[in-house]
Amino acid sequence: MMKRRSWQEYQKEIADDNYYYARSCIRQNFFPGSEKAFIDILHNDLGKDLLDDPKHSSCTGIGYHSDIVPLETIMTVVARQFSLMNDAGYKNFVTSCITSFGIYNEILATWEEFPETEERTREYLYKATGREFRKPQSLAHTSDVVFHFREEIARRARHLLVNATTGEPLKVVEHIGCHYAKIFPKSGIGGSEFPYVLAGMIESWGGEVVDYPERRHCCGFGFRNYLVQANRGYSIANSHKKLESMAPYKPDFIVANCPGCAMFLDKWQYTIAEMEGTTYGENGHGIPVLTYEEMAGLVLGYDPWTLGMQMHQVDVEPLLDKMGIEYDPAAKYLGRNGKYIGKPASAVVNCCPTDTIYDIRE
Amino acid sequence: MAAINFGYTISKPRAIDLDRNNLRKSDEILHEMPELQTCIGCGACTAVCTAGNLTDFNFRRTHTLVRRGEYEGIYAEMNKCMLCGKCRLVCPRGINTRAVVMLVKRKLGDF
Amino acid sequence: MKKRVIVIGGGIAGMQTALRLAEQGVEPVLIEKEPELGGKLRGWHVLFPSFTPAQEVLTELRRRVNDSGIECRMSAEVCSVSPREVVLSGGERLACDAVVLASGFTLFDASIKEEYGYGIYDNVVTSADLERMFNEGRVAKADGSAPRRIAFLHCVGSRDEKVCQQHCSKVCCVTGVKQAIEMKRLFPESDVFNFYMDIRMFGPGYEEMYREAQQTYNIHFVRGRISEASPTLEGRVQIKAEDTLTGRPLRMSVDMLVLLIGMRANDDNEQLARGAGLERARSGFMKPRDLFLGNVCSNIGGIFYAGTISAPKNIGESLNEATAAADAAARYVMQ
Amino acid sequence: MTFYAPFCLPFILGAALMFIIVAWKWILWLLRLPRSDKRLILRGLFTHRTLGAAWEVVRESLLHRRIFRVNPLLGYMHMSLAFGWFLLIVMGWIETISYVGFRWVPLQGHVFFKYFATSLPHKPFFDFAMDLLLLFVLSGVALAWGKRLYSRAMGMRRTTKHVLGDRIALSALWFIFPARLVAESTTCALYGGGGFLTGSIGGWMGAHIGVLPLMNLETVAWWFYSSCLGLFFVALPFSRYMHIFTEIPLIFLRHYRLRSTEKHSSYDHFQIEACSRCGICIDPCQLQSVLGINDVQSVYFLRDRRYGMLTRPVADNCLMCGRCEEKCPVGIDLNTLRLNSRDRMRNVPDERRYTYLRGVDRSSGEGKVGYFAGCMTLLTPRTLSAMSTIFEAAGEEVWWADREGGVCCGRPLKLSGETDSARKMMRYNTELFRKHGITTLVTSCPICLKVFREDYDLPGIEVLHHSEYILRLIRAGRLSPTHGTTRYTYHDPCELGRGSGIYDEPRAVIEAVGELLEPASTRENALCCGSSVANLAISDGQQLQIARSVAAEMEATGAEVIVTACPLCKKAIGRGTRRPVVDLSEIVAASLK
């Protein structure tokens, strides 16, 4: 089993405490519960220090990859984030977004290779904001951090990734964002070929990783491919290929560490079902797609609706039932203030027609 | 189920998937014309092609696709051929190319 | 008395065989139908992959043959062969103890492939013509001007059922690359295209030369066989092929089209084989007794093969085989 | 006299059945003829054509003149059986009349007259004449037996392999006349009479056999004779012997200008069932003589088609060189029938194809003379440059239709059975020719030539093969080739010679530039090069084998140069020889310098 062990060659330093937290644009909009869960887990369960700085901004990575934001601009934006981190007295930069993670790595490497670009960036930053910056001591993705504390989380586990009735480990498809390790293999746990960051969590928490042929294939987001409607056919074709390839293994859920992947593997299942009538999960429904924070949250016993799992297109209830997690079906579409937050239209990928769960009289 | 129009469709995979492609027809064709196996892929047939001079018909590519189990649209493609026989005169492997066209059309008429 | 071995063919294989026989204490007699030694190599300019002048090899071999006082019968054609006797076409009978056949190959006649226009259009030449031009130091189009665009076509008369030549001539690929480089050296401003079905670079330094042709000389390689050549108004040659790697037909006009002609079994093989009862392969080349343990022996004891009489070979292989054939013949006559 | 005996029953039943079935078939075929064909019949019925047809029926159906020309011995065999039998019937009729006067005699009365006429006084003349005719027929039967046993002696290398129905009918036929001989002889033995044959045998029998056994033998012999006839008649409509009757209407219909076309029609039945399966078409077939393929020849093709068991490999495997058609004694349109069989197997009507042809025009130059090189000629550039030289020398302004690649003439497609699609190409080229206002169309490819002449509607445009065109130029003094000493031999391309009847023009052209040596098989008998586009089945190696055999014949003439007038033949023969193979135009162009 060479493959199983090869991830060990790719290790990196992950700080133990005192993180400066950079958020993700997509996640804040589409499943904000995950970022909240990360903060909660670190603060409450693990007792770590983490700064969620309201002053930081988007890294502008989406704009950069869509050829809208020039390199000099994004470098300056990134420099500002570092400067903010310096102001707050932190040295360990953690980012919630894979695109950002790639951007930070890319820019730090560029500065390393071409020091003049760093010089210029300092100049631009100073001209624009009057700020200066020091580079972070360590840079990690938040999934790295969860991976780092996976054993501690396992010790505190309320639920394991096992089928509560049969005792069998759940079969989990893990999906790593391309920009996590494909640009700089050394920057990811396990490198780019056999990434271990999510697999490590799954194994530690009692699940079983599914190794299927298209495991390393991109989800298809691809920025321009998705952003231009006419090109979306190419985007969805990638997820389609992955789903076709994983379906025969009958996975219980998919876990992803990238905002785009978690979103598209989930939402494309709905689109494919509408277009072709094909579904990939049990009983003609979809395969639930989770973020690693949601997975960790479930393990630690968080309420699924607090974790924001109602935000997924594919219903997660079958998974919750399987794990033996108690939840209030009626509370699914109630916000934190107890008010109705709206619900998506019923679709094939949903296991439970939403109207019967919550009878809404507006 | 009424399909929703999303403004795009799922792009067909470009890969030739030999796990999925059914090679039965292809095998039947090769069984009847074993000499087709000897194609070097030099493209002389396509270069000399009377129809290829006027349209994008590519005999080499088309029969190679058939041998890979990619049958869709092949009949229409082979129908561009005028059967003039020029290709047979230049084939360095002596393949009866006209017979290949007719055989493929006969076997793949319903694709 | 010294044993006598007759070597038929005074090309490089024949000369090397005779030299080796003399070394082994056997008396060789070289029979050559041309008035001078050297065979096909006389028409060659430089040798792949080292660009060594062919003359260098030839002069050295001739000098050695001269110095060792080997009997050479020039302008003598062989009529029939048996292990003990060789009859010349004049009727003269030469007694001997063994015979080594080193009569080489025949160059494919490119005019048979009429669609390529050899002998019809001015600027269609063969690889052999081009070597002659190199030797004469006058490489140019028929009107004397410098070619700006040159195409080489591989496999002319090789691997082609249509001219009943199924075999691979082995050396044309390398020759094509070598000549392309030479042309590029002569005409650095020109564009050179090689049209091939497969590029077979089997020898030491060949693949490196191929890479050099691509990298250093920017020679274009197009995977497709030219199907037709036709004249253009400006007196150029228009060629058509399929660029199989893009799957689209390709056409272009060139100032010069070079046909890399293959090696055909020697036209004399048939007569020699019939007279002596020798076996021939389907390709028409002589068939060695065994491809591994008897590759220089014929099916008749006392008749041996050296060089391209039995298959297309390059110069190094021919020389090696000549040594082996001489050793086998010497061993045979000493018994 | 009652003219009835129990033994007549097999004959009566057999004959009745036969007449009913034959009449049924003919009526059905005639009714199903297309309206245009029926009109042709009506228009021709009361003209000299009917007389011509009747005379041909005598010549061919009775005398078998065409077989005589191919093979005299075989001709005699067929004539003795057909004409001999016919005379026996006619003479029998006269005999009956002379014995009993003009009164109605049932059919069996004529046929078995000897049996019924024992009580009447003998007329030695008829005894003699009938015996002579019987001997004539018996000699034919003997030859037929001989042919089965040893066909080579009859000048045939191969004979037809027959189906079961044929074998039954054949066996019955073989025994009819020997049985008649025995039957009549026994009657003569018992009651006297008979000529030199039946009389002498009867006399000998009377002397050696007792009366009682003779009487038994007589009954058995007449029963056997009648049964043979009955069996033969029953088998006839289902066997090759249907040709005996079918050839007659065929000859008439042919005289009324009915023809088979690329589409199947009811007329085809007359042709198909007129085949006697004589097997004369087997020997000229090069697929048989060179490649040893012996189940695809016209005789087997027609047989398979008639019985509805025609397979694609049989229909496809034919060079359509026309060598068999040339020899066919019945004159069946073998190539056309094969063509419409292929049409039935492959044609897809109204197919959306070749839409890309719209608006294509790659022609160049301008002139009243158009030159259509043809696809294959584009692969023989020497022909092209020779034609260019010739045009220039003659000062001809030429419109080049397809120098940059044109659209195929459609013949290869037609030959492969996709006839409707072929029409699309024909329409395209017709329009192209008309658009450029040419008055003469020259082509170097006999395949194109044939289709231009037969299927294209080109009013005001004269279609010429380049051999005809060059000869015209020479005769008009516009070309003056110098006569050299080179000895040439000429290969007749099938589509040019047998296909279009052009034999003399190329020869005249060759003789204008050098000496012409004829190969062993020449003109109508010329061999096919083997690369015909009509053959959809044979492999490259088989094509080469045929080419080699043709080349060997050409080499045997001792000529230095092999000349042909078809690009495909040129390419094909060139593979089989080391001698130069050139197109007609090349030697003319060379002699102009």
Side-chain angles (χ1 to χ4, degrees):
Chain A
M1 296 298 275
M2 276 301 296
K3 179 164 91 171
R4 290 278 152 118
R5 267 181 280 120
S6 72
W7 69 270
Q8 291 169 346
E9 288 171 25
Y10 291 90
Q11 290 292 356
K12 67 175 186 183
E13 287 294 316
I14 298 164
D16 287 321
D17 204 348
N18 306 111
Y19 309 103
Y20 181 85
Y21 188 45
R23 287 196 180 232
S24 149
C25 310
I26 290 179
R27 283 152 67 91
Q28 285 176 82
N29 284 294
F30 289 93
F31 23 95
S34 289
E35 292 194 337
K36 174 78 169 61
F38 179 75
I39 295 166
D40 288 349
I41 290 168
L42 254 70
H43 279 156
N44 307 339
D45 295 272
L46 304 169
K48 301 294 174 186
D49 171 38
L50 170 117
L51 179 68
D52 179 18
D53 186 354
K55 279 183 254 167
H56 87 280
S57 71
S58 163
C59 76
T60 69
I62 293 177
Y64 171 65
H65 288 300
S66 311
D67 280 355
I68 296 166
V69 174
L71 183 60
E72 290 77 8
T73 309
I74 194 169
M75 279 183 172
T76 313
V77 172
V78 166
R80 179 177 170 272
Q81 317 276 53
F82 291 157
S83 174
L84 289 170
M85 175 186 72
N86 301 151
D87 286 357
Y90 286 83
K91 289 173 182 159
N92 305 320
F93 199 92
V94 293
T95 170
S96 161
C97 173
I98 288 291
T99 305
S100 304
F101 182 67
I103 292 287
Y104 292 123
N105 272 306
E106 186 184 333
I107 288 173
L108 287 173
T110 311
W111 288 347
E112 194 71 39
E113 295 291 327
F114 305 96
E116 68 278 10
T117 57
E118 185 182 336
E119 280 313 304
R120 254 201 318 274
T121 307
R122 287 184 185 284
E123 207 182 306
Y124 293 149
L125 181 67
Y126 188 79
K127 275 187 191 162
T129 64
R131 285 176 173 275
E132 288 175 357
F133 73 94
R134 286 185 309 281
K135 285 185 271 186
Q137 203 171 57
S138 83
L139 171 70
H141 184 251
T142 45
S143 63
D144 292 334
V145 177
V146 178
F147 174 81
H148 193 61
F149 297 118
R150 67 192 187 284
E151 297 303 341
E152 211 169 323
I153 292 171
R155 275 194 296 278
R156 294 157 186 271
R158 301 265 297 280
H159 302 282
L160 284 177
L161 300 177
V162 293
N163 188 317
T165 34
T166 63
E168 294 279 319
L170 292 181
K171 281 185 276 185
V172 188
V173 159
E174 55 86 58
H175 179 83
I176 309 293
C178 294
H179 290 192
Y180 173 69
K182 280 181 191 155
I183 305 176
F184 298 98
K186 284 281 177 198
S187 70
I189 306 275
S192 64
E193 293 303 321
F194 302 103
Y196 193 65
V197 59
L198 295 179
M201 295 179 206
I202 295 162
E203 283 174 7
S204 297
W205 301 338
E208 183 189 307
V209 179
V210 172
D211 196 0
Y212 63 106
E214 298 293 355
R215 183 173 168 184
R216 273 165 287 279
H217 199 84
C218 168
C219 74
F221 175 25
F223 302 95
R224 266 167 296 189
N225 285 309
Y226 175 74
L227 297 171
V228 180
Q229 192 193 33
N231 292 348
R232 280 180 199 165
Y234 296 107
S235 179
I236 192 170
N238 286 276
S239 287
H240 186 258
K241 181 190 262 185
K242 280 186 78 75
L243 291 162
E244 290 277 333
S245 172
M246 71 174 75
Y249 295 84
K250 299 193 188 325
D252 293 299
F253 68 96
I254 299 167
V255 62
N257 73 343
C258 170
C261 307
M263 174 168 155
F264 285 101
L265 287 172
D266 180 41
K267 306 237 185 297
W268 282 147
Q269 289 196 57
Y270 156 75
T271 315
I272 293 168
E274 291 291 350
M275 280 182 173
E276 293 194 330
T278 316
T279 51
Y280 299 97
E282 282 171 296
N283 304 322
H285 305 296
I287 306 170
V289 182
L290 274 58
T291 64
Y292 54 95
E293 290 103 330
E294 288 166 351
M295 178 166 73
L298 291 179
V299 168
L300 289 169
Y302 283 60
D303 177 70
W305 308 147
T306 312
L307 287 170
M309 292 178 79
Q310 64 273 57
M311 300 302 281
H312 295 306
Q313 191 102 30
V314 179
D315 281 340
V316 294
E317 284 90 336
L319 174 69
L320 302 177
D321 294 341
K322 229 179 262 175
M323 287 175 71
I325 293 171
E326 285 179 17
Y327 60 94
D328 176 10
K332 186 171 180 183
Y333 294 107
L334 295 183
R336 302 186 71 177
N337 53 7
K339 277 196 176 151
Y340 172 60
I341 57 169
K343 64 170 178 62
S346 176
V348 195
V349 286
N350 301 130
C351 65
C352 344
T354 44
D355 291 338
T356 61
I357 298 173
Y358 188 78
D359 190 21
I360 306 150
R361 278 172 296 272
E362 283 163 75
Chain B
M1 188 179 75
I4 297 173
N5 181 9
F6 289 91
Y8 55 90
T9 51
I10 304 171
S11 306
K12 292 257 156 48
R14 285 189 63 243
I16 294 169
D17 190 347
L18 287 181
D19 289 340
R20 189 169 298 184
N21 287 3
N22 186 345
L23 292 181
R24 190 176 55 81
K25 293 251 181 197
S26 162
D27 288 342
E28 280 172 20
I29 287 165
L30 287 174
H31 183 75
E32 279 191 45
M33 294 253 17
E35 64 196 58
L36 188 55
Q37 298 261 36
T38 66
C39 172
I40 313 178
C42 71
C45 47
T46 305
V48 85
C49 180
T50 305
N53 196 19
L54 304 171
T55 177
D56 58 354
F57 176 54
N58 182 325
F59 177 66
R60 179 195 56 78
R61 185 170 176 274
T62 309
H63 84 67
T64 311
L65 281 172
V66 171
R67 283 158 59 196
R68 304 284 184 268
E70 295 280 318
Y71 309 127
E72 218 180 292
I74 294 291
Y75 180 84
E77 203 55 30
M78 282 296 191
N79 246 353
K80 292 179 182 165
C81 167
M82 301 187 184
L83 284 178
C84 73
K86 239 177 136 187
C87 45
R88 194 178 182 189
L89 270 189
V90 297
C91 176
R93 290 290 203 191
I95 296 167
N96 188 348
T97 46
R98 297 176 75 229
V100 172
V101 173
M102 286 184 274
L103 176 63
V104 168
K105 274 169 60 176
R106 175 152 59 82
K107 291 280 183 191
L108 299 179
D110 45 354
F111 275 89
Chain C
M1 216 190 99
K2 266 191 172 177
K3 300 280 189 186
R4 229 157 86 108
V5 174
I6 294 181
V7 181
I8 296 169
I12 49 157
M15 288 194 279
Q16 175 68 15
T17 310
L19 283 168
R20 180 68 178 175
L21 282 166
E23 264 176 48
Q24 300 276 47
V26 177
E27 182 198 339
V29 180
L30 251 182
I31 300 181
E32 169 58 49
K33 65 177 172 187
E34 299 288 331
E36 62 169 341
L37 292 174
K40 300 265 186 333
L41 197 56
R42 289 174 305 156
W44 237 245
H45 180 233
V46 295
L47 306 178
F48 58 75
S50 56
F51 295 89
T52 311
Q55 281 304 323
E56 229 170 73
V57 177
L58 212 51
T59 315
E60 176 60 15
L61 275 173
R62 278 182 187 148
R63 187 190 60 75
R64 285 190 207 167
V65 170
N66 222 12
D67 290 357
S68 53
I70 291 168
E71 183 189 345
C72 299
R73 310 282 298 251
M74 309 310 296
S75 306
E77 264 192 77
V78 170
C79 186
S80 78
V81 169
S82 68
R84 296 273 155 183
E85 187 184 67
V86 170
V87 183
L88 299 184
S89 56
E92 191 182 347
R93 290 167 180 275
L94 304 174
C96 58
D97 298 292
V99 176
V100 179
L101 297 177
S103 47
F105 63 95
T106 301
L107 270 171
F108 178 77
D109 175 10
S111 62
I112 295 174
K113 293 293 286 181
E114 190 184 334
E115 54 264 44
Y116 299 148
Y118 182 63
I120 307 174
Y121 312 132
D122 283 337
N123 293 310
V124 181
V125 299
T126 66
S127 42
D129 295 338
L130 192 60
E131 291 290 334
R132 203 191 55 241
M133 290 176 167
F134 285 140
N135 272 334
E136 290 168 354
R138 204 173 48 83
V139 184
K141 287 166 64 184
D143 63 6
S145 63
R148 288 198 316 278
R149 221 180 201 190
I150 305 148
F152 283 84
L153 173 58
H154 291 238
C155 293
V156 177
S158 306
R159 308 173 72 205
D160 188 352
E161 304 255 2
K162 287 285 150 28
V163 292
C164 308
Q165 301 285 309
Q166 290 191 333
H167 63 273
C168 164
S169 294
K170 201 171 176 179
V171 297
C172 339
C173 283
V174 207
T175 305
V177 174
K178 183 209 75 166
Q179 293 188 337
I181 293 178
E182 282 183 278
M183 289 303 266
K184 197 74 184 186
R185 284 179 182 171
L186 275 177
F187 308 106
E189 297 300 307
S190 67
D191 286 318
V192 179
F193 291 80
N194 279 42
F195 289 85
Y196 67 97
M197 301 200 286
D198 293 298
I199 290 271
R200 297 178 168 182
M201 292 290 157
F202 60 97
Y206 295 5
E207 184 65 27
E208 291 85 336
M209 191 174 71
Y210 178 23
R211 198 188 163 105
E212 198 190 345
Q214 295 171 308
Q215 227 167 7
T216 314
Y217 291 97
N218 196 20
I219 291 161
H220 308 280
F221 286 84
V222 182
R223 196 188 170 284
R225 189 180 172 89
I226 295 176
S227 63
E228 290 165 81
S230 39
T232 66
L233 279 177
E234 314 88 67
R236 302 177 99 198
V237 181
Q238 191 199 61
I239 52 179
K240 287 181 194 165
E242 188 203 352
D243 181 357
T244 60
L245 299 183
T246 61
R248 288 168 57 191
L250 177 153
R251 62 165 69 195
M252 68 188 294
S253 303
V254 295
D255 297 310
M256 198 183 244
L257 171 62
V258 184
L259 307 176
L260 293 161
I261 48 176
M263 291 186 179
R264 208 175 70 209
N266 197 320
D267 287 343
D268 301 332
N269 281 8
E270 192 183 344
Q271 190 201 341
L272 278 179
R274 203 178 324 120
L278 295 167
E279 282 177 8
R280 288 197 302 153
R282 242 193 96 191
S283 58
F285 285 95
M286 294 299 193
K287 191 176 176 185
R289 197 183 68 207
D290 182 295
L291 276 177
F292 307 104
L293 300 174
N295 60 347
V296 294
C297 306
S298 72
N299 56 314
I300 307 272
I303 299 182
F304 301 88
Y305 298 138
T308 52
I309 187 164
S310 53
K313 290 181 187 87
N314 64 18
I315 290 166
E317 287 167 338
S318 295
L319 289 171
N320 289 348
E321 211 179 74
T323 309
D327 286 356
R331 211 176 308 122
Y332 174 81
V333 296
M334 295 304 190
Q335 273 172 5
Chain D
M1 267 184 287
T2 53
F3 293 111
Y4 180 77
F7 77 81
C8 296
L9 210 58
F11 165 78
I12 293 167
L13 289 175
L17 210 60
M18 174 186 79
F19 283 123
I20 290 167
I21 295 170
V22 170
W24 172 255
K25 280 191 174 189
W26 285 6
I27 289 164
L28 218 60
W29 296 344
L30 283 170
L31 285 176
R32 283 183 185 166
L33 279 176
R35 195 175 290 273
S36 55
D37 281 357
K38 285 177 185 157
R39 215 173 291 134
L40 280 174
I41 296 173
L42 287 176
R43 219 174 283 157
L45 202 55
F46 301 105
T47 63
H48 61 94
R49 291 208 181 108
T50 306
L51 292 176
W55 173 230
E56 194 186 327
V57 168
V58 174
R59 267 184 345 213
E60 295 305 331
S61 300
L62 294 177
L63 301 178
H64 290 85
R65 199 181 55 117
R66 274 194 220 114
I67 306 188
F68 254 106
R69 276 199 313 215
V70 177
N71 181 336
L73 203 57
L74 209 60
Y76 174 80
M77 183 189 103
H78 284 86
M79 186 189 76
S80 66
L81 285 168
F83 190 50
W85 197 352
F86 175 73
L87 287 181
L88 264 180
I89 295 168
V90 173
M91 191 58 83
W93 223 275
I94 298 169
E95 188 185 18
T96 321
I97 291 165
S98 76
Y99 275 93
V100 300
F102 285 97
R103 53 167 279 209
W104 185 81
V105 174
L107 200 59
Q108 73 271 19
H110 294 284
V111 175
F112 306 119
F113 188 70
K114 267 265 171 11
Y115 181 84
F116 297 114
T118 46
S119 57
L120 299 171
H122 289 288
K123 297 196 174 179
F125 166 73
F126 283 107
D127 285 346
F128 172 77
M130 291 300 277
D131 273 12
L132 192 65
L133 290 172
L134 186 59
L135 186 67
F136 181 41
V137 176
L138 282 171
S139 68
V141 173
L143 278 175
W145 285 12
K147 175 181 155 224
R148 273 291 121 182
L149 293 173
Y150 192 60
S151 60
R152 227 165 248 277
M154 296 286 288
M156 289 180 83
R157 284 194 294 273
R158 300 257 165 184
T159 55
T160 320
K161 290 171 290 175
H162 288 304
V163 294
L164 186 69
D166 281 351
R167 284 181 193 283
I168 293 170
L170 181 69
S171 309
L173 180 64
W174 277 359
F175 285 110
I176 287 173
F177 296 98
R180 175 173 175 149
L181 179 67
V182 174
E184 292 191 350
S185 298
T186 41
T187 304
C188 291
L190 285 169
Y191 307 101
F196 63 94
L197 203 61
T198 48
S200 343
I201 297 175
W204 180 87
M205 285 167 107
H208 290 82
I209 309 174
V211 174
L212 212 60
L214 260 182
M215 287 180 74
N216 287 335
L217 184 63
E218 193 200 17
T219 318
V220 171
W222 283 103
W223 265 99
F224 184 63
Y225 174 38
S226 167
S227 306
C228 283
L229 279 171
L231 188 62
F232 178 69
F233 289 151
V234 171
L236 182 139
F238 308 105
S239 72
R240 66 198 190 110
Y241 297 100
M242 183 66 186
H243 82 272
I244 295 173
F245 292 112
T246 313
E247 198 185 348
I248 298 163
L250 174 67
I251 288 171
F252 279 92
L253 295 178
R254 205 188 283 142
H255 275 263
Y256 299 143
R257 306 253 167 97
L258 266 67
R259 295 287 177 270
S260 282
T261 64
E262 65 190 33
K263 298 284 174 197
H264 164 84
S265 85
S266 184
Y267 173 65
D268 296 348
H269 290 296
F270 288 100
Q271 299 221 54
I272 293 164
E273 305 220 352
C275 170
S276 66
R277 280 172 230 162
C278 61
I280 285 176
C281 53
I282 302 175
D283 277 349
C285 181
Q286 287 166 275
L287 296 182
Q288 138 56 39
S289 60
V290 180
L291 303 178
I293 298 170
N294 52 17
D295 52 0
V296 300
Q297 282 71 21
S298 294
V299 53
Y300 301 119
F301 160 73
L302 291 176
R303 180 195 67 194
D304 291 356
R305 179 159 163 185
R306 177 174 164 189
Y307 297 125
M309 50 186 202
L310 183 62
T311 57
R312 206 176 279 108
V314 171
D316 284 355
N317 202 351
C318 173
L319 297 162
M320 292 207 191
C321 64
R323 278 167 59 83
C324 55
E325 198 171 296
E326 200 63 44
K327 296 265 170 21
C328 177
V330 190
I332 303 172
D333 294 331
L334 297 169
N335 279 349
T336 313
L337 289 174
R338 206 179 276 259
L339 208 63
N340 68 38
S341 281
R342 288 184 185 178
D343 170 82
R344 274 193 144 182
M345 286 170 170
R346 269 204 200 84
N347 190 48
V348 184
D350 305 326
E351 207 168 10
R352 272 186 66 79
R353 275 179 93 173
Y354 306 124
T355 45
Y356 59 82
L357 295 183
R358 204 169 298 133
V360 170
D361 185 353
R362 300 214 168 156
S363 60
S364 55
E366 231 167 274
K368 287 281 151 201
V369 173
Y371 178 66
F372 188 89
C375 303
M376 300 295 183
T377 313
L378 296 177
L379 286 177
T380 56
R382 278 197 195 110
T383 310
L384 282 181
S385 53
M387 284 312 291
S388 169
T389 309
I390 288 168
F391 288 135
E392 212 169 288
E396 192 85 89
E397 296 278 309
V398 179
W399 170 70
W400 291 75
D402 61 345
R403 205 179 219 167
E404 286 300 307
V407 171
C408 174
C409 63
R411 177 125 178 107
L413 207 60
K414 181 181 166 179
L415 288 173
S416 60
E418 302 184 24
T419 39
D420 287 9
S421 299
R423 291 274 159 211
K424 291 182 200 276
M425 270 172 227
M426 296 177 192
R427 269 200 298 278
Y428 165 83
N429 279 320
T430 306
E431 264 170 45
L432 186 73
F433 297 151
R434 285 182 177 171
K435 192 174 91 185
H436 286 272
I438 51 169
T439 54
T440 309
L441 177 63
V442 181
T443 178
S444 290
C445 177
I447 303 168
C448 306
L449 177 82
K450 193 165 163 67
V451 76
F452 288 161
R453 287 202 173 161
E454 289 181 0
D455 294 304
Y456 277 57
D457 181 25
L458 297 171
I461 301 176
E462 189 183 18
V463 179
L464 294 176
H465 183 246
H466 72 327
S467 60
E468 298 173 298
Y469 174 73
I470 292 170
L471 186 65
R472 263 188 209 190
L473 293 180
I474 294 174
R475 294 211 167 135
R478 293 172 68 188
L479 280 184
S480 26
T482 45
H483 196 281
T485 51
T486 317
R487 295 183 305 158
Y488 300 104
T489 182
Y490 176 67
H491 166 82
D492 282 291
C494 304
E495 299 272 57
L496 190 66
R498 283 179 296 268
S500 307
I502 299 173
Y503 297 106
D504 300 322
E505 289 85 348
R507 287 179 168 76
V509 171
I510 294 171
E511 277 164 352
V513 296
E515 193 188 333
L516 173 66
L517 301 172
E518 291 286 354
S521 314
T522 187
R523 302 183 75 98
E524 289 83 358
N525 294 321
L527 297 171
C528 170
C529 71
S531 287
S532 161
V533 283
N535 191 303
L536 313 177
I538 59 171
S539 71
D540 186 63
Q542 288 171 314
Q543 288 188 332
L544 184 60
Q545 258 179 284
I546 297 177
R548 284 200 171 124
S549 71
V550 175
E553 228 194 74
M554 309 304 285
E555 284 174 0
T557 58
E560 292 125 40
V561 178
I562 300 169
V563 184
T564 186
C566 166
L568 203 52
C569 297
K570 180 184 165 180
K571 281 265 174 199
I573 299 171
R575 294 177 72 189
T577 177
R578 290 256 170 93
R579 298 239 178 118
V581 181
V582 301
D583 186 82
L584 193 67
S585 57
E586 292 175 50
I587 61 171
V588 175
S591 73
L592 294 175
K593 280 160 196 165

